[in-house]
Amino acid sequence: MRAGHQGTGPGVITPDGCAVELYSRLPVGAEPEIIAGAVPVGAHILELGCGVGRMTGPLLERGFTVTAVDESAEMLERVRGARTIRGPIENLDLGETFDVVLLASFLVHNADLEVRRGMLRACARHAADGGCVLIQREGEDYHTDLPRERVDPSGFTVRIVSSEPVAQGVNSVHAEYEFPDATWTQTFRVRPLTRQQFEEALGEAGLRVDRYLTEDQTWVRAVPVTG
C-alpha cells in the first residue's frame, strides 16, 4: 500500500486502495459521451489509469481504438478488446503518440507533486501533433460539501464521508461503497487544486486548456503548447 492509502472489502485491493471487484461493479456514467463529443471520430485513445476498463469498453463500442494503461495486473485482467500495458503512468514512455490522451478518475489530483508532474508530462509526451489531452478534475465543492451520499439507480450507495487535511495542501479522503451483499471502503490522499492551480500545473507540463467540456468544469480538453 502507498502511504496514506488503504482499502477494505472483498477481493484484491490495489496499492492505492482501489478494490478490483468494486470497480468491476461500478457503472459508467456520462464520461464516454463527454469524451466522444470532444474528439475526432475513430480516434486512437491512450487511456491512462484504465482500471478494469469501465470506460474502455464503451469507448471501443463507439468506434475508438484504445490503448489501456494501468499499474495493476489484476485490474488489467478485466479489460477486454483493447491493447493493455502495465506500468506507472508517471514513468510511461511508449515512443509513440495518440490522437487523444485520457487522464480520468481525478488522477491529476495525486497528492505527490512529482507523481502529478510525471503524469502530466506523460500526457504531453504521448499527444500527437494536433492531438489533445482530456482530464477529469474535482468539482469546486468536492472537499467542503461533506459528508454526502448518493444512491445509484442500480441499487448501491456511495458516500464521501470525510476529507481531512493531513499535510500542506494534501487531504485524506474516506469513501464508502455499500452494496446489498458487500461493502468496500477506500482511504486515499489527494491534492485539491483551484482552477488557477490546475491551469498552472498544466503549464508546467507544456499543456494549456483548450476548453472546459462540462458546466461544472470537471472535464477539460487540453492541448500541447506550441511555438
Side-chain angles (χ1 to χ4, degrees):
M1 284 293 158
R2 291 199 185 95
H5 294 249
Q6 61 182 350
T8 66
V12 174
I13 307 292
T14 65
D16 57 358
C18 294
V20 175
E21 181 59 33
L22 167 63
Y23 280 85
S24 296
R25 293 187 181 200
L26 294 178
V28 68
E31 291 89 351
E33 288 301 322
I34 293 169
I35 294 164
V39 304
V41 173
H44 191 171
I45 298 175
L46 177 63
E47 184 184 3
L48 302 177
C50 66
V52 297
R54 282 192 305 141
M55 285 197 291
T56 313
L59 291 172
L60 291 170
E61 290 170 2
R62 286 163 173 80
F64 298 108
T65 301
V66 181
T67 295
V69 178
D70 204 276
E71 67 177 356
S72 167
E74 293 86 357
M75 288 283 195
L76 288 175
E77 285 174 2
R78 308 289 182 107
V79 177
R80 297 290 181 269
R83 168 194 179 196
T84 58
I85 295 172
R86 182 186 176 194
I89 297 167
E90 62 270 23
N91 298 329
L92 190 70
D93 191 349
L94 300 179
E96 57 187 293
T97 57
F98 300 80
D99 304 316
V100 181
V101 181
L102 177 61
L103 188 70
S105 303
F106 312 119
L107 290 173
V108 73
H109 293 277
N110 194 290
D112 186 317
L113 282 173
E114 287 309 309
V115 170
R116 183 192 75 196
R117 288 170 177 146
M119 286 182 174
L120 289 175
R121 285 194 296 264
C123 288
R125 183 162 55 243
H126 291 93
D129 291 342
C132 68
V133 179
L134 302 187
I135 300 172
Q136 185 182 25
R137 59 188 288 264
E138 294 173 346
E140 293 298 323
D141 60 351
Y142 187 87
H143 296 276
T144 55
D145 182 23
L146 298 175
R148 64 178 178 272
E149 176 179 296
R150 180 179 65 84
V151 179
D152 191 85
S154 63
F156 71 92
T157 300
V158 57
R159 301 181 187 92
I160 306 298
V161 179
S162 60
S163 176
E164 302 294 338
V166 291
Q168 185 174 1
V170 177
N171 286 7
S172 175
V173 178
H174 182 71
E176 298 176 351
Y177 301 83
E178 184 177 320
F179 287 74
D181 62 337
T183 298
W184 285 269
T185 71
Q186 184 179 4
T187 301
F188 53 97
R189 290 186 178 180
V190 299
R191 185 175 292 272
L193 298 170
T194 64
R195 175 172 167 171
Q196 180 179 344
Q197 289 170 330
F198 167 73
E199 293 185 0
E200 288 173 352
L202 292 187
E204 285 183 358
L207 298 167
R208 64 171 177 82
V209 172
D210 176 55
R211 67 181 187 271
Y212 288 89
L213 301 175
T214 53
E215 186 175 346
D216 61 7
Q217 299 188 345
T218 56
W219 275 94
V220 186
R221 186 182 193 274
V223 294
V225 175
T226 58

